[in-house]
């Protein structure tokens, strides 16, 4: 079974631009979560989607948004990029939520660099 | 608020020895914990999980121990191998139930 696939693997953008990252979950997984990983803050939760609905959102500004499609694939968008948005963005999928004992399975991330 | 922290940022062990990675949590209501391993250039990889109604759970060469009294979690790796070199994260379910709160991570270095 293929794992979580994230595209692109690397991105370089300029301040003020916007970016869209894509995630394909493991087949059959209906929950998709996004995390931001930086050396200073570690792994921080962005948002979680299930059946095209956002169920929870982390403490990030409104410039960060996402969506999930009917096939469970997900995208996240960051508008008006800032230097501090440079990070590894990780997508993870699970059958349900972790409350059900279904752990998250992560992709290898998209490395975003904002210059 | 809830938080998940690790006792040691780095751990160096010799190949063949056992490794113990520790984690403290502050939310006594946490009821599900997960250990992840992250190798360079890759996303976190699920290792093992444990529910709060358990004290111990074993996997292949790994054991997770949960001490709810002192809110402490540990990951034991038996016969550590060079391929075990990575950053290890503990995580707990947030109050919302849909997000994980991750610790800062412990870097494990296995020397020959």
């Amino acid at each position: 079974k293929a794992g979580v696939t994230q595209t692109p693997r690397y991105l370089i953008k300029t301040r003020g631009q916007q970016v869209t990252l894509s995630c394909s979950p493991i087949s059959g997984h209906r929950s998709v979560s996004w995390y931001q990983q930086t050396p200073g803050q570690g792994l921080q939760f962005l948002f979680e989607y299930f059946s095209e609905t956002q169920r929870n959102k982390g403490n990030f500004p409104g410039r960060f948004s996402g969506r999930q499609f009917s096939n469970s694939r997900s995208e996240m968008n960051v508008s008006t990029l800032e230097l501090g948005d440079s990070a590894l963005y990780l997508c993870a999928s699970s059958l349900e939520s972790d409350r059900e004992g279904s752990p998250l399975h992560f992709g290898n991330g998209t490395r975003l660099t904002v210059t | 608020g809830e938080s998940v922290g690790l006792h040691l940022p780095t751990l160096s062990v010799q190949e063949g020895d056992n490794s113990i990675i520790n984690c403290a949590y502050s939310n006594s209501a946490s009821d599900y914990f997960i250990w992840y391993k992250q190798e360079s250039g890759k996303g976190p990889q699920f290792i093992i999980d444990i529910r709060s109604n358990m004290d111990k759970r074993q996997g292949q060469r790994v054991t997770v121990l949960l001490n709810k009294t002192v809110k402490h979690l540990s990951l034991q790796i038996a016969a550590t191998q060079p391929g075990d070199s990575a950053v290890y994260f503990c995580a707990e379910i947030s109050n919302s139930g849909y997000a994980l709160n991750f610790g800062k991570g412990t870097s494990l270095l296995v020397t020959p």
Side-chain angles (χ1 to χ4, degrees), chain A residues 9 33 35 37 40-43 45 48 55-56 88 90 97-104 106-108, chain B residues 31-32 34 36 38 41-46 49 51 89 93-100 102-104:
Chain A
R9 283 284 278 140
S33 303
Y35 288 79
Q37 186 175 27
Q41 299 299 317
L43 281 149
F45 171 73
E48 189 265 353
R55 294 196 294 192
N56 196 24
L88 180 67
L90 292 159
S97 72
D98 281 298
R99 279 274 185 218
E100 304 300 321
S102 176
L104 296 181
F106 285 85
N108 288 328
Chain B
D31 60 3
Y32 183 59
I34 309 173
Y36 284 93
Q38 187 174 25
K42 296 184 178 180
Q45 177 187 1
F46 170 79
D49 58 359
R51 293 186 179 277
F89 295 94
I93 290 293
S94 72
N95 287 333
S96 73
Y98 301 125
L100 293 178
F102 282 86
K104 293 296 184 185

Side-chain angles (χ1 to χ4, degrees), chain B residues 21-36:
Chain B
I21 301 171
N22 296 305
C23 178
Y25 64 95
S26 59
N27 183 5
S28 57
S30 296
D31 60 3
Y32 183 59
F33 304 88
I34 309 173
W35 280 100
Y36 284 93

Side-chain angles (χ1 to χ4, degrees), chain A residues 30 32 48-56 67-68:
Chain A
R30 300 194 295 169
V32 174
E48 189 265 353
Y49 289 88
F50 181 79
S51 293
E52 302 178 67
T53 300
Q54 185 183 91
R55 294 196 294 192
N56 196 24
R67 59 177 175 169
Q68 185 181 32

